[in-house]
Amino acid sequence: MIQVRAGSGGDGCVSFRREKFVPKGGPDGGDGGDGGSVVLWGNRFLQTLADLEYHRFYKAGAGGHGKGANRHGPNGEGVRVPVPLGTDVFDAGTGAKLGEILKAEEELVIARGGRGGRGNARFATSTDQAPRRFQPGTAAEERKVRLVLRLVADIGIVGLPNAGKSTLLSRLTRANPKVASYPFTTLTPNLGVLQTKDVRFTIADMPGIIKGAHEGKGLGLAFLRHIERTRMLVFVIDAAEGHPKRDYDELVEEIGSYNEEILKRPRVVALNKVDLLTGRRPAIRLDAERAWVSGLTGQGIDELRELIDRVFPKTA
């Protein structure tokens, strides 16, 4: 949550020419300057909204007042606030969505500066050649804004905690996510670039999901909102745990309870940790194509890349 205040517009000026050898001086009051606006802009190098946690108030400069000799007041200095791509912007008071930032350098005005008022020179007419009227500057917008990050990625890697999502991401891409043997290692999405034979995909490792995630349990909502903009899902299942079908069904249920539309997108299943399997691979009935892989050893990674390349939707 941040609070923003734009700059108010400057007042117009009432002034008349007073020069030697000019017998009839006319009105020469200048216009006031426009107030600065507060603008969000997309910074492709940012991945989180963490920086805004420590700077929550933004104020733009007010416009200057007009002056005599038809001098206009200066415009107020605007404020540009960088946010990561995928940021949704809401008015905290009304809940209305103000817009979203999806592209690099894309801008969104969230508090518009006031307009400068007109000076008395603007009001001169053939019947009123010495007007004493002026127009004050308009007030600026001020509001509290709620920002929600929904990651922009082509592919989302999803799975239960400790399924090996981050390790698999590091194998598929050159990303270096945090990897450890305790739940919820991934607290924010990790991004990488997956290069196949013909295409480059942006791929993201999402925070782990647990039962009841669609109700906000664990890091569920942080996980679920990020997959809303992905075009394809890779389900990572721990094949060595002993119940991969149950884990897969649990993921599908949680995602469907949050937003059924997500389940209509293409998906593949990566049955991970095959290096820990002893004996034959178990027979598993799933409603999606699969690849047997090991994020630790790299086994089956090339096959998974080919599967992703084939299943990924080629049209937007």
Side-chain angles (χ1 to χ4, degrees), residues 70-134:
N70 287 312
R71 289 176 294 174
H72 297 326
N75 293 332
E77 185 175 356
V79 174
R80 298 177 76 244
V81 183
V83 295
L85 307 187
T87 301
D88 287 336
V89 187
F90 300 89
D91 186 297
T94 65
K97 186 173 181 178
L98 303 177
E100 56 191 14
I101 301 292
L102 300 179
K103 300 177 181 178
E105 303 301 325
E106 183 177 6
E107 295 187 346
L108 175 66
V109 178
I110 56 174
R112 196 171 299 277
R115 297 188 61 179
R118 294 180 295 173
N120 68 330
R122 298 277 192 175
F123 294 95
T125 65
S126 59
T127 57
D128 185 4
Q129 299 184 14
R132 295 185 176 274
R133 293 187 294 144
F134 75 98

Side-chain angles (χ1 to χ4, degrees), residues 7-289:
S8 57
D11 296 338
C13 174
V14 174
S15 174
F16 296 91
R17 292 178 60 188
R18 293 291 186 270
E19 300 178 33
K20 192 175 183 180
F21 306 120
V22 179
K24 294 183 180 181
D28 65 354
D31 299 339
D34 294 334
S37 298
V38 181
V39 179
L40 300 182
W41 65 280
N43 185 335
R44 64 187 180 91
F45 298 107
L46 292 179
Q47 290 192 24
T48 73
L49 295 166
D51 291 345
L52 302 183
E53 182 71 22
Y54 308 101
H55 188 177
R56 295 198 172 194
F57 181 72
Y58 296 88
K59 180 181 178 182
H65 301 313
K67 298 181 181 180
N70 287 312
R71 289 176 294 174
H72 297 326
N75 293 332
E77 185 175 356
V79 174
R80 298 177 76 244
V81 183
V83 295
L85 307 187
T87 301
D88 287 336
V89 187
F90 300 89
D91 186 297
T94 65
K97 186 173 181 178
L98 303 177
E100 56 191 14
I101 301 292
L102 300 179
K103 300 177 181 178
E105 303 301 325
E106 183 177 6
E107 295 187 346
L108 175 66
V109 178
I110 56 174
R112 196 171 299 277
R115 297 188 61 179
R118 294 180 295 173
N120 68 330
R122 298 277 192 175
F123 294 95
T125 65
S126 59
T127 57
D128 185 4
Q129 299 184 14
R132 295 185 176 274
R133 293 187 294 144
F134 75 98
Q135 186 179 48
T138 62
E141 292 182 331
E142 179 177 3
R143 57 163 51 104
K144 288 185 178 180
V145 176
R146 183 169 62 90
L147 305 178
V148 177
L149 178 60
R150 290 184 174 88
L151 203 67
V152 177
D154 297 317
I155 301 169
I157 297 181
V158 301
L160 301 178
N162 284 343
K165 302 182 301 299
S166 297
T167 303
L168 190 62
L169 176 69
S170 66
R171 281 286 180 182
L172 289 169
T173 72
R174 294 183 178 180
N176 293 300
K178 183 179 180 182
V179 177
S181 59
Y182 54 85
F184 303 123
T185 306
T186 303
L187 300 178
T188 58
N190 297 303
L191 283 173
V193 176
L194 171 62
Q195 179 69 59
T196 64
K197 188 166 107 178
D198 302 313
V199 188
R200 286 165 60 93
F201 302 112
T202 304
I203 186 168
D205 159 29
M206 305 295 181
I209 184 174
I210 63 173
K211 190 172 183 61
H214 69 281
E215 299 173 343
K217 293 182 180 179
L219 298 175
L221 294 179
F223 156 79
L224 291 166
R225 71 166 180 257
H226 285 301
I227 65 174
E228 288 186 293
R229 287 197 173 109
T230 57
R231 297 172 59 193
M232 176 180 172
L233 297 178
V234 176
F235 285 72
V236 180
I237 305 296
D238 187 345
E241 190 65 22
H243 35 72
K245 179 66 165 62
R246 187 189 71 184
D247 293 348
Y248 175 77
D249 290 342
E250 184 175 319
L251 289 170
V252 171
E253 180 182 356
E254 290 299 329
I255 293 172
S257 297
Y258 177 74
N259 185 347
E260 288 187 354
E261 291 298 315
I262 299 175
L263 294 178
K264 297 179 181 179
R265 299 168 194 173
R267 74 182 87 146
V268 299
V269 178
L271 293 162
N272 195 24
K273 303 185 182 181
V274 296
D275 54 301
L276 300 180
L277 289 177
T278 57
R280 297 179 59 185
R281 295 173 180 173
I284 306 171
R285 298 183 62 183
L286 302 175
D287 60 356
E289 295 192 61

